Amino acid sequence: MKTQYYTAASLDGFIATEDDSLDWLFPLGDVNETSYPAFFREVGALAMGSATYTWMLRHVVKPDTGTGATWPYTQPTWVFSSRTVPAIEGADVRPVRGDVRPVHAEMTRAAGGKNLWIVGGGDLVGQFLDAGLLDEIIVQVGSVTLGAGKPLLPRRLVGDQALRLQSVQRFGPGFAELRYEVARRAAS
Amino acid sequence: MKTQYYTAASLDGFIATEDDSLDWLFPLGDVNETSYPAFFREVGALAMGSATYTWMLRHVVKPDTGTGATWPYTQPTWVFSSRTVPAIEGADVRPVRGDVRPVHAEMTRAAGGKNLWIVGGGDLVGQFLDAGLLDEIIVQVGSVTLGAGKPLLPRRLVGDQALRLQSVQRFGPGFAELRYEVARRAAS
């Protein structure tokens, strides 16, 4: 069982524009032709911040448009937010706030031996990292620069092989996948 | 003859810390065990900004320390600076300011058919890019995050395959090399 940060980012280290747009991302390639399907099959529970959840709601589920699109995850999903988050029909969404450590323990119990996916944003991932709870970072580096935006991981992770590159893979002209093992620095 | 931006960067897109330190970089691996020697053999002329030049002066040449270290490039090197730059004995350094286009033409003449290396910083590279004069971006992505620092390339390069990933290569746990072809967007 691993706790993984799997995300796409620009070459200059942003996971979204300042206004949370991912419009730059989708022309780069089909996520189903990357390692995503194999990664996702092993996910037993998810956690995300409220900006990520709101993005999903607006751009994937779109409840007001009548497109009938549904929440894409059957796994339980913890949403970190200091405010109330709108529910989505048929989605196992568990609002939560505060310390990531008890949530990680709950996620572990719920995941049945499968992996935990910390979807983002970067600051939520940083909180799991700070608590010594992050095992892997998998970045699909898109062939774009954004110049500004939401940071991949607002932390300083330097020295003593804090990150160890495990593999690199090219998915067409649009994506380079980089996989890192995270040295556990704090007690979990 | 190609105009290339070859640099190392952190996973989160910084080429140096806020105070121009590269101390995070050197423990990651030996540059001579990467593609750097093969890249450098094909370089006929260099251009860099004043911060990069000052860094070289302080950390490589160190004229006041009596270590006898010398300027590492025999190729002519244009240094963009609005101020006077200190000369280095035995170095073919050509101070310049302003528009990158006539400098690019001079560099091309001096390079004798070899490649032009735009060393950095990111904003100088952006000026060559804006002028449609950049052909390739080669980034050694180091296995670190810095959280803040000098940006890799402070530009928005999105859509219409502005960047095309050509190859990926792993150099140990410390470096992932990503090579991009740049679509020429402006008249050169």
Side-chain angles (χ1 to χ4, degrees), chain A residues 144-145 155 157 165 170 173 175, chain B residues 145 155 157 165 170 173 175:
Chain A
V144 301
T145 61
R155 291 294 186 278
L157 257 181
L165 181 65
R170 178 176 174 271
F175 286 113
Chain B
T145 61
R155 291 294 186 279
L157 259 180
L165 181 66
R170 177 176 175 272
F175 286 113

Side-chain angles (χ1 to χ4, degrees), chain B residues 106-118:
Chain B
E106 272 188 77
M107 292 175 71
T108 302
R109 283 191 294 273
K114 299 183 96 174
N115 296 326
L116 312 186
W117 179 15
I118 316 303

